[in-house]
Amino acid sequence: MEFTEWIRGRTDEQLRALVSARPELITPVPAHLEGLASRAGSPSAIARVLDRLDRFTLAVVETLAVQDGPMPKERLRELVGAALAGDDAESGPRDAEPALSAALDRLFELALVYGPDDGLDLGPGVRKVLEDPAGLGPRAVDAFRHHAPEQLDEMADEVAPGTEGSGKERLAAALAQPAALVESVSPEARGALDQLAWGPPTGRVPNARREVSLASARSPIEELLARGLLAAIGEESVTLPREVGLYLRGGRVHRGLLALPPPLEGTARDRKLADRTAAGQAFTFVRSVEELCERWSVEPPGVLRTGGLGVRDLKRTAGELDLPEWAAALVIEVAHAAGLIAAGGGVDGEWLPTSGYDLWRVRATADRWVTLALTWLHMDRVPGLVGDRSAGARQERAGGAMPTSGEAGATIKRSDDRDRPLNALHTDLRRSSAPGVRAATMGVLAAAPGLAPARDSVLERLAWEQPRRRGPLREQLTEFALREAEQVGVTGLGALSAHGRALLEGGNPAEVLAPLLPEPVDHVLLQADLTAVAPGPLTSELNRWMTLTADVESKGGATVYRFSESSIRRALDAGHGGEELVSMLSRHSATPVPQALSYLVTDVARRHGRIRVGTASAYIRCDDPALLDQITADRRSAALRLRRLAPTVIASRSSRAALVDSLRAMGYAPVAESLDGDVIISQLDSRRTEGLAPVRAVASPNGLDPEVAVAAVRALRAGDAAHLARREPVDAPGGQVPRGPATATISALQEAIKQGVRVWIGYLDSQGNATSRILEPARMEGGYLTAYDETRAAVHRFALHRITGVAGL
């Protein structure tokens, strides 16, 4: 059976499963099923799907690839059973039927294997992509294809005297039964063969292409080259022919094969304790994102010319959030990927909260966490690479396999072209494989409820689940995923939490998380030393107000805030009045407002705004001339280059912002005013920018929406029907398109609209060429037929006078 016909014989449900598991096959949607089959056999598509196979299923593919042509299922069962037995020859082949049937079902679904049980075969192109399946080298005819015919004749005369045919054919026939040749070599040469037997099948030797004979062989390698047991494939490279490798393996394709994934090892955790720990960390992560956006509303950091966030800004932010730099980078990257912060603020650029942040901030804490956690799970940015410097680029290849789709051959790049550390929010932090690694890592944790697996155990499990994707980059991304999952609150004490599991399985994580979150408090404890203690997590609004009015001094079980002149002035700059601040403190304090704090607020409010700074370049305006006399007499004002214009006005060549900062540093309390003389209020939510669309999660694990799969299969079926109709027209002898009288055509179309059936029409294009279409007519009016054209999977209008005829399907 041809592969295309096999594809055509699959049910719609099976085709939907195929395109859902391999979405690259319908990007874009092929015109017909023949095109789908052709695309399924392309090297890039095959490499992608092979990357998704587990070790056992890949071993089944490799076992089929070792043999040219179809293989009966019974023979396949014997080979796989021998591989499961491993090196324990006395135990004999193990029963491979349950695991083999499941693997074959998966391979049929992916269109990697097709055919009946008595003739299972690989899809087109699979053998070519695998190259060296199971660590076996090329067949003898391929291994010696670059040798000169004269050299092959000489080798065949020595190893297979008296046989007929070309040198290559005689040598290949001798190597098909290599027992006598292998047993005749020296122990040293046999040791060299044993080293190559289980792969990799290639090695490096000097001057490999030199001609040697059995009589002139002086070393074990020369002895093997003379017998054809090794083939030179380069000036310094040799390979072991596949037939010889299979003999050395005792007929087995694999050894030590595991039908089930290796068990996870780690520390058992109490599930309730793990859930509570993860919930506490989830709450902390949400508050960290909120605090980041609030602080950047007031003091936004600049955007580097090369893009990203400066190292100093990252250090400052980490200190303000009381987090290590890697955790601060994670908070920043997730907030950016969620569309809560973005670059804006004019020509130079600043990192500012977006309007989407204001919508996110007012939602329930559990819902806010779900947004952040889904963003982390699906984003392609890798915060763990921020700040590290790499001494050089390293290449990863997946266990000797060909470069895979985005993993093997990838460069672990932690610095830019000038060997500078990568900055947070830099475009070079993108890694296309990151979402897949996170999902796979969390899937491993989900397989062991209540267990905190060890790092090596997780890596071993992932190596079994996706063996072609092994390498330094994948291991590093796995370590990042484990560390970040704990920080985000998906895991607790290293074990997957209940709300984390709901997140992965598409349930309702907010409903699971909400009862575990700490209850916010709406009061603080004011103390005489100008500090306030929050006895628990504050409500969102009170936390926002306290962050504006005071500076966080320490965090932990209780957060300590400290009031200072600068923090009070910050609240006044935001538009609050002195009496309003005292009233707010009284309303939200479980203790009376200390006198010292009340005096501080009153004093700062009294002095606040007496001096006004505008734009001249800049000017100072004050109703008290004595206060301006004091400023001009101050030696520290010399750098400002002040000039008295009037008793209540001083001009300066400095900018307004620089003048305000300088006066505040001298101990005054100026405010900025607009050109109209109004005080400029620094409201927290006044500085916003438009952000990028947040990362979207999709229902399918491979990124394909189920509705798209349904539509794609429908279009493929319609296109294939039209494709076959063009090759074998229905009711049209001689391969002609349908033709008939105009009245019969109109009547047939009206009946098709009434019955809701498809028809096959002949249609003249603008050049007068006759074409055929398969239509589902909808209505006919004004000389036009409106119908769904299944040939092109779209609705079109057709001129009735161009329709040559109608035929049934």
Side-chain angles (χ1 to χ4, degrees):
M1 177 186 296
E2 289 188 0
F3 182 69
T4 301
E5 292 302 320
W6 181 83
I7 287 286
R8 189 170 281 128
R10 305 293 278 173
T11 65
D12 285 357
E13 182 178 357
Q14 290 170 332
L15 287 178
R16 286 195 294 270
L18 170 62
V19 299
S20 296
R22 302 177 64 179
E24 62 274 4
L25 298 185
I26 56 170
T27 310
V29 179
H32 38 65
L33 290 176
E34 187 173 329
L36 180 71
S38 176
R39 191 174 296 176
S42 64
S44 60
I46 293 173
R48 284 176 179 269
V49 70
L50 289 177
D51 289 347
R52 303 175 189 136
L53 299 183
D54 61 59
R55 186 70 195 92
F56 181 78
T57 308
L58 181 62
V60 174
V61 175
E62 292 176 330
T63 303
L64 289 170
V66 166
Q67 176 174 319
D68 287 335
M71 177 186 294
K73 184 178 180 180
E74 188 63 33
R75 175 57 180 163
L76 179 62
R77 185 184 297 110
E78 293 176 2
L79 292 174
V80 173
L84 290 175
D87 296 324
D88 186 8
E90 296 181 359
S91 65
R94 299 180 183 178
D95 183 15
E97 179 57 36
L100 179 61
S101 296
L104 286 176
D105 289 343
R106 174 67 172 156
L107 294 173
F108 277 122
E109 177 185 294
L110 297 173
L112 287 174
V113 174
Y114 73 105
D117 286 351
D118 59 351
L120 298 175
D121 201 0
L122 293 176
V126 177
R127 287 184 175 86
K128 184 176 181 180
V129 170
L130 282 173
E131 289 187 349
D132 298 332
L136 291 167
R139 295 189 173 278
V141 291
D142 297 322
F144 291 98
R145 67 179 182 274
H146 296 304
H147 287 60
E150 299 80 6
Q151 184 181 2
L152 294 175
D153 289 337
E154 295 177 2
M155 293 176 63
D157 291 339
E158 291 189 328
V159 302
T163 56
E164 297 182 355
S166 66
K168 181 185 292 187
E169 294 172 349
R170 295 159 58 201
L171 185 59
L175 292 177
Q177 302 291 332
L181 291 173
V182 172
E183 300 304 326
S184 65
V185 301
S186 64
E188 293 81 5
R190 180 59 186 265
L193 289 177
D194 291 338
Q195 289 182 4
L196 299 175
W198 290 100
T202 58
R204 296 179 64 85
V205 296
N207 198 15
R209 286 196 177 277
R210 63 185 180 280
E211 295 187 12
V212 293
S213 62
L214 291 177
S216 63
R218 295 291 182 269
S219 67
I221 299 301
E222 291 181 351
E223 185 180 346
L224 296 174
L225 288 170
R227 285 177 168 81
L229 297 176
L230 286 181
I233 55 175
E235 293 298 331
E236 296 183 350
S237 304
V238 295
T239 189
L240 185 72
R242 182 174 301 177
E243 295 87 345
V244 181
L246 285 172
Y247 173 79
L248 294 172
R249 297 183 181 189
R252 291 180 294 167
V253 179
H254 301 87
R255 64 174 177 179
L257 185 62
L258 295 176
L260 298 175
L264 291 171
E265 299 177 356
T267 305
R269 302 291 190 190
D270 180 82
R271 294 195 189 182
K272 292 184 178 180
L273 178 60
D275 290 346
R276 290 196 300 270
T277 303
Q281 189 55 48
F283 183 87
T284 302
F285 190 77
V286 171
R287 279 299 170 87
S288 296
V289 172
E290 184 178 356
E291 185 177 352
L292 170 79
C293 294
E294 293 295 339
R295 290 185 178 276
W296 284 13
S297 295
V298 181
E299 298 180 21
V303 179
L304 297 177
R305 286 182 297 176
T306 56
L309 181 71
V311 175
R312 292 182 179 178
D313 290 322
L314 175 62
K315 291 181 180 293
R316 177 175 60 84
T317 301
E320 292 172 344
L321 299 180
D322 195 22
L323 293 172
E325 287 188 27
W326 72 265
L330 174 64
V331 170
I332 293 169
E333 288 289 345
V334 172
H336 178 256
L340 304 182
I341 59 174
V347 178
D348 294 334
E350 294 174 323
W351 292 108
L352 291 166
T354 66
S355 55
Y357 164 69
D358 296 308
L359 300 175
W360 173 84
R361 182 174 57 84
V362 298
R363 297 167 59 191
T365 302
D367 293 326
R368 289 190 287 167
W369 178 82
V370 172
T371 299
L372 298 177
L374 284 174
T375 298
W376 169 77
L377 189 63
H378 295 287
M379 70 180 188
D380 62 355
R381 301 184 63 80
V382 184
L385 296 178
V386 172
D388 286 342
R389 188 185 302 274
S390 176
R394 292 173 288 173
Q395 298 290 328
E396 107 169 282
R397 290 196 178 275
M402 67 168 288
T404 62
S405 55
E407 288 272 0
T411 302
I412 302 176
K413 184 179 181 183
R414 293 189 176 186
S415 59
D416 63 10
D417 295 335
R418 298 182 181 178
D419 199 33
R420 294 177 299 191
L422 290 176
N423 299 93
L425 301 177
H426 198 280
T427 55
D428 284 348
L429 292 179
R430 296 184 182 277
R431 298 292 184 275
S432 60
S433 57
V437 174
R438 289 194 196 99
T441 305
M442 296 301 103
V444 171
L445 299 184
L451 182 71
R455 166 191 170 277
D456 292 341
S457 182
V458 173
L459 291 175
E460 182 183 4
R461 181 67 166 264
L462 289 175
W464 186 90
E465 291 184 351
Q466 295 176 329
R468 283 172 55 90
R469 288 184 172 177
R470 290 176 295 173
L473 175 61
R474 185 170 180 81
E475 292 183 6
Q476 191 178 43
L477 293 179
T478 302
E479 294 173 5
F480 290 157
L482 292 172
R483 181 177 69 175
E484 292 169 2
E486 191 78 14
Q487 188 71 22
V488 173
V490 177
T491 61
L493 302 176
L496 186 67
S497 63
H499 51 274
R501 182 179 298 276
L503 186 79
L504 298 176
E505 295 175 353
N508 190 348
E511 183 178 337
V512 179
L513 175 62
L516 301 173
L517 293 174
E519 191 68 28
V521 297
D522 62 352
H523 65 274
V524 295
L525 304 176
L526 296 177
Q527 303 186 102
D529 60 350
L530 299 181
T531 61
V533 178
L538 301 177
T539 60
S540 182
E541 284 301 320
L542 181 56
N543 178 70
R544 190 172 187 235
W545 189 83
M546 287 297 298
T547 302
L548 171 67
T549 314
D551 298 316
V552 176
E553 192 167 79
S554 65
K555 294 183 179 180
T559 303
V560 178
Y561 297 88
R562 177 167 293 279
F563 296 95
S564 63
E565 183 177 336
S566 61
S567 68
I568 298 297
R569 186 170 60 237
R570 185 169 63 227
L572 296 173
D573 287 343
H576 297 285
E579 293 182 0
E580 181 186 357
L581 294 180
V582 175
S583 175
M584 190 77 171
L585 290 171
S586 301
R587 188 164 60 251
H588 289 287
S589 175
T591 58
V593 179
Q595 190 176 48
L597 179 56
S598 179
Y599 283 171
L600 175 65
V601 174
T602 303
D603 181 61
V604 175
R606 178 180 55 82
R607 294 184 290 113
H608 185 265
R610 292 180 63 192
I611 298 176
R612 304 291 184 90
V613 178
T615 302
S617 288
Y619 62 83
I620 303 172
R621 183 171 64 84
C622 181
D623 294 333
D624 186 358
L627 188 54
L628 295 187
D629 292 339
Q630 183 180 345
I631 293 175
T632 54
D634 195 324
R635 293 182 179 180
R636 293 173 295 177
S637 67
L640 300 178
R641 305 179 71 179
L642 304 178
R643 186 165 62 92
R644 194 72 168 261
L645 298 181
T648 58
V649 179
I650 297 177
S652 171
R653 294 187 181 181
S654 302
S655 66
R656 181 174 60 193
L659 192 53
V660 169
D661 292 340
S662 299
L663 291 175
R664 285 178 175 174
M666 293 164 60
Y668 301 99
V671 295
E673 71 176 14
S674 66
L675 295 176
D676 298 326
D678 299 324
V679 176
I680 298 176
I681 297 175
S682 302
Q683 294 181 354
L684 286 179
D685 54 357
S686 63
R687 306 197 66 183
R688 293 291 185 263
T689 187
E690 294 300 321
L692 300 175
V695 175
R696 289 183 63 251
V698 292
S700 171
N702 286 319
L704 185 67
D705 192 298
E707 294 182 0
V708 175
V710 172
V713 171
R714 180 182 180 184
L716 284 167
R717 288 293 190 194
D720 197 59
H723 181 64
L724 294 177
R726 285 196 295 269
R727 293 189 300 180
E728 298 179 7
V730 181
D731 300 333
Q736 300 296 319
V737 298
R739 296 184 181 276
T743 54
T745 298
I746 298 297
S747 298
L749 291 175
Q750 290 174 338
E751 183 65 22
I753 294 173
K754 181 179 178 181
Q755 299 293 332
V757 298
R758 296 181 303 163
V759 294
W760 179 49
I761 69 168
Y763 193 72
L764 299 177
D765 60 19
S766 57
Q767 284 76 36
N769 299 319
T771 62
S772 62
R773 309 284 183 94
I774 294 179
L775 306 180
E776 188 175 324
R779 64 178 181 273
M780 190 164 47
E781 58 186 6
Y784 285 90
L785 170 69
T786 302
Y788 177 76
D789 186 353
E790 295 195 352
T791 312
R792 291 161 174 77
V795 175
H796 286 288
R797 296 182 70 201
F798 300 89
L800 290 177
H801 68 276
R802 289 187 177 182
I803 299 178
T804 62
V806 179
L809 290 177

